[in-house]
Every structure is written in C-alpha cells, then in structure tokens.
Amino acid sequence: MVEDSPDISEMSFEDALRALEDVVRKLESGEAKLDESIDLYERGEQLRQKCQARLDAAQERIEKIVSGPDGKPSGTAPFDAA
C-alpha cells in the first residue's frame, strides 16, 4: 500500500480522480522503484474502479430522466439494474 494514502472508499469522485492523476504522473516519471511502482499501479487500479463506478452511476441516472408531456425533462426515475 502507498504510504499516507487516504481511504479510497471515503474519497469524492474529484479527489479520486486527482489521486489517480498523481499516480499516473509518478508512474510515468519512471523514478519509483519496482515495489513502489507495483503499489502505485494497484492503487491506481482501485482509484480507476472508484471513478468508473461513479461515472456509471451518473450515466444511469441521466438515462432515467423522465420526459413530461411536452417532451421536456420533468424529473428522474430510479434506475432498476435488475
């Protein structure tokens, strides 16, 4: 685990995205030792999954916007993944 790293489950989407960008910068710099690079890669994958899940949830919510009789959005309906 990368030292002094906040808990991903507690992060907002924006914080997770910034952390992911930091991980990518560190990996691309090539200055990290092998073990640190592996830890960074694993953390990066966890951050990517967190961001992707949040984006998927937002997309599902947008897709469920309900149109009123005039064709304009009038609200949202809960997404039913089942």
Side-chain angles (χ1 to χ4, degrees):
M1 176 114 174
V2 180
E3 295 177 20
D4 300 326
S5 299
D7 184 6
I8 293 172
S9 66
E10 302 293 322
M11 295 174 124
S12 69
F13 171 80
E14 292 78 11
D15 290 341
L17 186 57
R18 272 191 293 278
L20 179 57
E21 290 168 347
D22 288 343
V23 166
V24 170
R25 269 193 292 280
K26 288 175 184 174
L27 287 171
E28 287 180 340
S29 76
E31 294 179 14
K33 294 183 180 183
L34 179 60
D35 288 339
E36 183 183 3
S37 292
I38 292 169
D39 290 344
L40 283 167
Y41 184 85
E42 289 172 345
R43 182 159 176 82
E45 179 57 20
Q46 293 167 346
L47 289 162
R48 185 201 65 78
Q49 289 173 3
K50 162 92 175 176
C51 290
Q52 188 63 53
R54 182 63 185 103
L55 289 171
D56 290 346
Q59 180 177 355
E60 291 169 355
R61 190 166 173 208
I62 290 168
E63 289 173 354
K64 294 300 282 183
I65 292 176
V66 178
S67 297
D70 59 357
K72 294 183 181 178
S74 64
T76 60
F79 179 77
D80 182 13

